[in-house]
Amino acid sequence: MSSSSSPPSRQNVVVLGATGSIGRSTLDVIRSSGGAFAPLALSAHARLADLLKAAIEYRPRFIVASDEKAAAAFDWSHLPKETTLLTGTAGLQEVASHTDADIVVSAIVGRAGLEGTFAAIQAGKRVALANKEALVVAGHLATELAQKTGAEILPVDSEHSAIFQALKAGRSEDVKRVILTASGGPFRKFTQKQLAEATVKQALAHPTWQMGPKITVDSATMMNKALELIEAKWLFDLTAEQIDVVVHPQSIVHSLVEFVDGSLVAQMSPPDMRMPIQLALTYPQRTECPAKQLDLATPFSLEFEPPDYERFPALKLGKEVAKRGGTCGAVLNAANEVAVQQFLEGKIRFTDIYRVGRHVLDEHPFEASPQLNRLLELDAWAREESNKWITCCLRQAKDQACSTT
Ligand code: NAD
Ligand code: MG
């Protein structure tokens, strides 16, 4: 049952990636919690002035500047006396597993979020997981470890939060499938030709969500939905065949669960990440939320349409990787990170992002049950292979041989 009172005692929250879009929304939720939550530690990689500002406002016991070089070059003289500065990946691991940490919000972008997420799982924490890439890279290991340590992985991704909530409507054995909603991104109506010419500025103009640049480009290619398919498989112990995608441009229905009787249970709210972030902090309790609320007094429509797998082939990669598992997620994720970065730097075309992922998946030495070290080795291999492939294509830009691989 829902209640509007605050959780009983103050919970210490570690925010990994505190200066990003999810990190800032998390701090907003903490600020509005009336003291129910307090930041124990905040981390950032590059925008250290923002981290310092947050440290001055929130007075956490620790801050972590994960880029050691940037940390060494920064002027910390205004850091509050009660705040200790830690650096590097070791700093992330230290705060994520700290005895006094109750909840770790994993909001670093990309594979870089893996170490902090695993440290929190190893320490048996509640992990409010936004960093879907950790599950894409090593979902089987993360879920296995959580079972061993008793860590709770609660989804922050809005679709997975919706599924988490909708699953409460029935028994797990009666679930037929889950249906992830996708806004369709800024290129929902683009032709193949327009997609090939899409600019960085266009890709970063998401119609419904304000997010960091990497996930915004992932939404435009629909690789984000591909990564979410894999994330859903691990979070909810589903088969790839039990996960579908529907395009829903309004981003109000955040996902649906279909039970065997054909009943669809959905969760609805305006697109505002503070809602799923807060639920991951307060669950099983619900409290008043600073997020926008749905106004049913003003008429609005909800549309749904099937995704176009030809214009957005990244979706096929997601299905394939969810089915094959093993090393596939690690290499697809690494290839995508490299390709998105190269696209953002104006070096490759929008449609090349998929081609890099396809190439690396096809070329990689598949293994069905890799350990973490092997996944990290393959992550490094996939980055190198992606860069090689891109360099080859750039060099032979006018050569048909490269553009037809
Ligand atoms: P962002 O780019 O806005 O913020 C990223 C954060 O990670 C920053 O604090 C940055 O300092 C830190 N960071 C970047 N590189 C790092 C590195 N190498 N090592 C350590 N820290 C590093 O990203 P975001 O949009 O907040 O997304 C964060 C995560 O949440 C991603 O995994 C994304 O897929 C997921 N997510 C985001 C949203 C959203 O609405 N933004 C929604 C669902 C899921
Ligand atoms: Mg999402």
Side-chain angles (χ1 to χ4, degrees):
M1 285 298 285
S2 66
S3 118
S4 59
S5 61
S6 298
S9 61
R10 194 179 172 102
Q11 307 257 307
N12 285 324
V13 184
V14 170
V15 188
L16 304 179
T19 52
S21 163
I22 292 290
R24 292 192 309 274
S25 293
T26 303
L27 291 175
D28 221 22
V29 167
I30 291 176
R31 195 187 300 118
S32 314
S33 73
F37 300 102
L40 177 76
L42 306 176
S43 94
H45 199 65
R47 292 200 301 260
L48 297 181
D50 292 355
L51 181 61
L52 176 63
K53 209 168 141 213
I56 292 167
E57 182 178 352
Y58 292 94
R59 311 264 154 175
R61 212 184 308 165
F62 304 98
I63 56 165
V64 184
S66 43
D67 181 343
E68 287 175 338
K69 264 198 198 145
F74 191 76
D75 172 12
W76 295 106
S77 56
H78 295 292
L79 189 66
K81 296 244 166 332
E82 63 263 45
T83 301
T84 302
L85 169 68
L86 303 173
T87 59
T89 304
L92 294 174
Q93 289 169 317
E94 184 175 336
V95 295
S97 58
H98 196 283
T99 339
D100 294 341
D102 298 303
I103 304 172
V104 176
V105 178
S106 169
I108 287 173
V109 60
R111 171 255 169 273
L114 194 106
E115 282 84 356
T117 306
F118 267 76
I121 298 174
Q122 176 75 55
K125 304 294 181 192
R126 169 174 289 200
V127 183
L129 187 79
N131 177 236
K132 66 193 82 180
E133 294 92 342
L135 287 188
V136 172
V137 173
H140 64 296
L141 299 176
T143 47
E144 217 175 86
L145 185 61
Q147 265 170 14
K148 230 185 266 170
T149 63
E152 286 177 285
I153 305 179
L154 292 189
V156 163
D157 221 342
S158 54
E159 295 77 2
H160 304 75
S161 177
I163 293 166
F164 177 75
Q165 295 174 64
L167 283 172
K168 308 279 171 215
R171 303 185 309 169
S172 58
E173 57 268 44
D174 296 334
V175 171
K176 190 165 161 195
R177 59 179 181 147
V178 305
I179 305 154
L180 297 165
T181 52
S183 69
F187 302 147
R188 184 166 62 95
K189 294 197 185 277
F190 270 40
T191 62
Q192 293 276 19
K193 188 166 175 288
Q194 286 174 309
L195 285 171
E197 287 157 10
T199 65
V200 171
K201 195 170 166 217
Q202 288 173 319
L204 289 177
H206 196 280
T208 50
W209 293 100
Q210 300 288 320
M211 308 178 287
K214 192 258 179 184
I215 185 177
T216 305
V217 175
D218 285 348
S219 298
T221 55
M222 292 194 78
M223 183 63 86
N224 183 47
K225 219 44 57 180
L227 302 180
E228 289 183 356
L229 258 155
I230 304 161
E231 181 186 13
K233 167 184 156 128
W234 295 118
L235 279 175
F236 307 116
D237 194 18
L238 299 164
T239 63
E241 291 73 20
Q242 281 180 298
I243 314 167
D244 277 325
V245 174
V246 68
V247 173
H248 164 52
Q250 290 78 22
S251 303
I252 287 175
V253 173
H254 294 299
S255 279
L256 310 97
V257 173
E258 184 176 4
F259 290 93
V260 284
D261 57 0
S263 184
L264 288 165
V265 179
Q267 184 266 332
M268 291 166 59
S269 52
D272 186 328
M273 288 308 293
R274 289 173 298 180
M275 178 80 81
I277 292 169
Q278 178 170 300
L279 187 66
L281 298 187
T282 63
Y283 182 80
Q285 203 161 359
R286 288 182 186 266
T287 57
E288 273 182 33
C289 185
K292 291 175 226 127
Q293 309 283 306
L294 202 54
D295 174 16
L296 294 171
T298 307
F300 65 93
S301 306
L302 300 175
E303 297 164 88
F304 298 92
E305 63 193 38
D308 184 337
Y309 286 83
E310 298 313 313
R311 282 184 305 129
F312 298 101
L315 282 173
K316 289 191 211 166
L317 297 183
K319 287 242 171 198
E320 178 183 323
V321 171
K323 209 180 240 173
R324 289 181 74 199
T327 45
C328 289
V331 297
L332 176 64
N333 178 68
N336 183 56
E337 284 190 32
V338 170
V340 169
Q341 190 54 39
Q342 298 267 14
F343 170 69
L344 285 170
E345 290 173 15
K347 295 188 182 139
I348 62 171
R349 286 179 308 177
F350 180 75
T351 41
D352 290 334
I353 300 174
Y354 158 77
R355 297 172 67 218
V356 177
R358 177 74 274 167
H359 168 76
V360 168
L361 257 183
D362 289 345
E363 293 302 311
H364 97 280
F366 177 77
E367 285 172 35
S369 309
Q371 288 306 304
L372 199 54
N373 282 350
R374 181 64 181 143
L375 290 172
L376 297 183
E377 268 171 31
L378 282 173
D379 168 277
W381 169 85
R383 283 169 203 269
E384 207 182 309
E385 183 63 27
S386 303
N387 279 315
K388 266 198 227 156
W389 189 89
I390 290 168
T391 310
C392 153
C393 279
L394 290 178
R395 206 182 306 125
Q396 305 175 16
K398 290 186 190 120
D399 183 338
Q400 278 303 91
C402 207
S403 64
T404 53
T405 52

